[in-house]
Amino acid sequence: MTTEQGDQQWFERVYANANGQTDDISWADLRPNPFMLKWFAKTPVDAQGKTAVVVGCGLGDDAEELVQRGFNVTAFDVSPTAVEWCQRRFPETKVNYTLADLFNLPPDWKFDFVLEINTVQAIPVAVRQQVINAIASLVAPDGTLLAIGRLADSVSQQLKRPWPLTRGEIDLYKQAGLTETHFETFGDSEIAALSLERFLVTYTR
Ligand SMILES: C[S@@+](CC[C@H](N)C(=O)[O-])C[C@H]1O[C@@H](n2cnc3c(N)ncnc32)[C@H](O)[C@@H]1O
């Protein structure tokens, strides 16, 4: 069993063991990510007629936000239980919730807007470059990637899950052919106690 296969099963187990109880999914806030909403509030984004993809969509709140904003949204997760849960939570949704694995993406997938929140940091550091390359490959020409996660000052902060990203790891998106257009860091009470900050970064291709 490879590291990544073991990890996929880890997520499926968490969702399946929760048995429909959202409280048991520690990362599920049941609302769109507030840092993404702040970014949208200050960044003009023309969503009409544009495609978007949500990487590791979890229980679907960010995907629903993007569809409300006018994108044609695909949202994928490696956990079948998470995908079914999204479909149950949003039975009338226009989002295409689908099962897909970052380690084996359909080669023709390209999107105008790619959203990655807290998924790269949930996958082991050993396969980080592979995961970042896969996410970068989703960005269509002239497309945008918005990524949000926890920032590590040093590799010593990457000892336990979630494994925050170092600045050097975030820069792997540039090595994968994207151009950085914005980078900011900020704190919040949830992670301040861990002496961590969050980052928000955008790229274009
Ligand atoms: C920490 S959760 C974050 C979920 C959501 N993005 C959020 O911000 O609430 C990470 C998500 O990525 C999914 N995931 C993990 N490995 C994946 C992979 N290889 N391909 C696709 N999704 C994956 C997990 O099932 C989980 O839903």
Side-chain angles (χ1 to χ4, degrees), residues 11 30 60-61 65-66 70 73 78 94 126-127 132 167:
F11 283 103
L30 307 183
D61 295 276
E65 176 65 25
L66 295 189
V73 182
V78 75
K94 291 193 177 129
V127 287
I132 285 177
R167 184 60 166 117

Side-chain angles (χ1 to χ4, degrees), residues 31-152:
R31 60 183 172 127
N33 182 280
F35 311 116
M36 172 189 73
L37 292 181
K38 269 192 205 157
W39 180 81
F40 271 119
K42 59 184 187 191
T43 312
V45 176
D46 177 17
Q48 297 310 316
K50 300 281 172 61
T51 58
V53 68
V54 181
V55 173
C57 63
L59 296 190
D61 295 276
D62 295 332
E64 294 300 318
E65 176 65 25
L66 295 189
V67 95
Q68 292 297 325
R69 287 176 179 270
F71 286 106
N72 298 318
V73 182
T74 296
F76 71 92
D77 204 285
V78 75
S79 159
T81 302
V83 172
E84 286 158 17
W85 201 332
C86 291
Q87 289 160 341
R88 260 203 322 280
R89 279 188 76 204
F90 306 108
E92 308 292 329
T93 189
K94 291 193 177 129
V95 175
N96 171 29
Y97 288 106
T98 189
L99 191 62
D101 180 0
L102 271 169
F103 292 95
N104 191 19
L105 290 175
D108 58 338
W109 268 13
K110 300 282 172 227
F111 299 88
D112 299 312
F113 187 78
V114 178
L115 180 67
E116 135 44 17
I117 302 181
N118 297 342
T119 292
V120 174
Q121 68 184 32
I123 298 176
V125 173
V127 287
R128 193 140 282 176
Q129 177 145 28
Q130 204 180 336
V131 171
I132 285 177
N133 287 346
I135 294 172
S137 78
L138 293 170
V139 184
D142 290 329
T144 299
L145 165 65
L146 168 62
I148 299 173
R150 296 178 180 199
L151 180 70

